[in-house]
């Protein structure tokens, strides 16, 4: 039996090496695979073409290369009854902590303003605010949101989180559900979106959400581009309601050349790299789950496709 691997072409070798080290008995076929479909027992994939995974009659689990599984859930022809597992691995979490910290500190310490002042040769201090006075709000208190929140708490930021179900977390003011959304936004100076993209969260960052934030709030959008209504964000940036933004994910990726975000003076953007799955640590997580399945134990981090994450 074999594992089908579909990753970015330039990461194939690193993945092959990592998987061979953790699963020495597994045959690994890289996408596209034209051999016997019955051989494929596991798929480890990012964004397979619609219906492609239906070809494999003996598929026992689909592992997403990334934390998000919207690239799979959006396939109406995904094979039925085959569990889908999202990526949870320490390398991906560590990378996300770094990015959130970098972005929060960038806004907290006015780095966009100082960069503009530098270009204009202006020497001017902006009054500093204590981290304890800076209210960071994290949408999505899952694996990544919680890890980022814990790090920010250690730096003394005033952290709140918003999730679907109620939570109690030391040091985090927790809000949940639709009723909790607007009170959460109202107390958030720096908003970090780390939600999964689901029918419920699509377009959640719209004009109403932006106007619920304190004037001049910063946005860090690193969940999925579909969360943001881009015209509403541009309008909010124009009016100053959103003072600055760090954007890593977009409705259309790669971001079209004519997008106004490329040159917006109040925007920092990166090409969907807030964090990346690290083959060595991720292969270990996938291998552990395959061993679990083979031993008749439940898979870890299997998603609920109905719920969308
Ligand atoms: P998890 O599944 O661990 O956490 C998701 C969180 O979102 C949970 O707290 C969940 O609430 C909350 N949530 C889901 N739906 C709603 C809703 N309708 N209302 C309120 N809260 C909701 O995911 P991860 O932390 O592992 O990853 C989050 C996302 O980050 C991924 O889905 C992906 O889109 C994005 N990502 C982006 C990367 C990048 O490079 N830009 C890299 C990796 C991930 P509850 O706890 O109640 O279930
Ligand atoms: C993602 C990821 O889900 O890279 O975006 O893990």
């Amino acid at each position: 039996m074999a594992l089908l691997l579909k990753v970015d072409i330039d990461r194939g070798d690193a993945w092959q090496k990592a998987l061979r080290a953790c699963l020495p008995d597994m045959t690994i076929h890289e996408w596209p695979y034209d051999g016997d479909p019955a051989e494929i027992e596991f798929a480890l994939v990012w964004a397979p073409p619609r219906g492609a995974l239906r070809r494999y009659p003996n598929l026992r689990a689909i592992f997403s290369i990334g934390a998000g599984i919207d690239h799979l859930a959006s396939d109406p022809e995904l094979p039925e009854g085959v569990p889908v597992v999202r990526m949870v691995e320490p390398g991906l979490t560590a990378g996300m902590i770094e990015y959130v910290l970098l972005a929060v500190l960038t806004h907290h310490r006015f780095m966009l303003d100082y960069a503009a002042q530098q270009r204009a040769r202006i020497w001017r201090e902006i009054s500093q605010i204590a981290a304890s006075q800076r209210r960071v709000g994290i949408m999505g208190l899952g694996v990544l949101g919680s890890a980022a929140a814990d790090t920010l708490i250690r730096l003394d930021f005033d952290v709140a989180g918003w999730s679907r179900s109620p939570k109690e977390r030391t040091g985090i003011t927790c809000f949940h559900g639709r009723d909790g959304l607007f009170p959460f936004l109202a107390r958030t100076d720096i908003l970090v979106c780390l939600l999964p993209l689901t029918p419920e969260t699509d377009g959640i960052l719209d004009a109403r959400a932006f106007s619920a934030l304190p004037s001049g709030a910063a946005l860090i959008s690193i969940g999925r581009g579909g969360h943001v209504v881009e015209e509403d964000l541009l309008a909010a940036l124009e009016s100053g309601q959103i003072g600055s933004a760090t954007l890593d994910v977009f409705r259309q990726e790669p971001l079209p050349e004519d997008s106004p975000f490329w040159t917006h003076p109040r925007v920092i953007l990166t090409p969907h790299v807030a964090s990346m799955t690290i083959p060595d640590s991720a292969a270990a997580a996938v291998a552990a789950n395959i061993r679990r399945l083979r031993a008749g134990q439940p898979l870890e981090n299997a998603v609920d496709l109905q719920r969308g994450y």
Side-chain angles (χ1 to χ4, degrees), residues 67-68 86 92 96 140-145 162-165 167 194-196 200-201 222-224 248-249 272-275 307 309:
R86 69 206 176 91
L92 183 65
M96 191 55 87
L141 273 184
V143 172
L144 300 176
W162 183 68
S163 54
R164 206 165 77 116
S165 55
K167 302 211 183 299
L194 261 172
L195 290 168
E200 279 183 38
T201 64
I222 46 186
R224 282 292 179 267
D248 182 58
V249 287
H272 197 144
V273 292
S275 189
R307 203 176 60 165
Y309 71 102

Side-chain angles (χ1 to χ4, degrees), residues 33-55:
Y33 167 63
D34 293 329
D36 179 7
E39 238 194 88
I40 303 297
E41 198 181 4
F42 301 104
L44 173 58
V45 291
W46 182 258
R50 176 177 168 155
L53 296 177
R54 267 194 188 269
R55 277 193 67 220

Side-chain angles (χ1 to χ4, degrees), residues 46 65-70 87 92 223-224 272 275-277:
W46 182 258
I65 296 272
I69 55 92
D70 44 303
M87 184 56 73
L92 183 65
R224 282 292 179 267
H272 197 144
S275 189
M276 283 180 204
T277 301

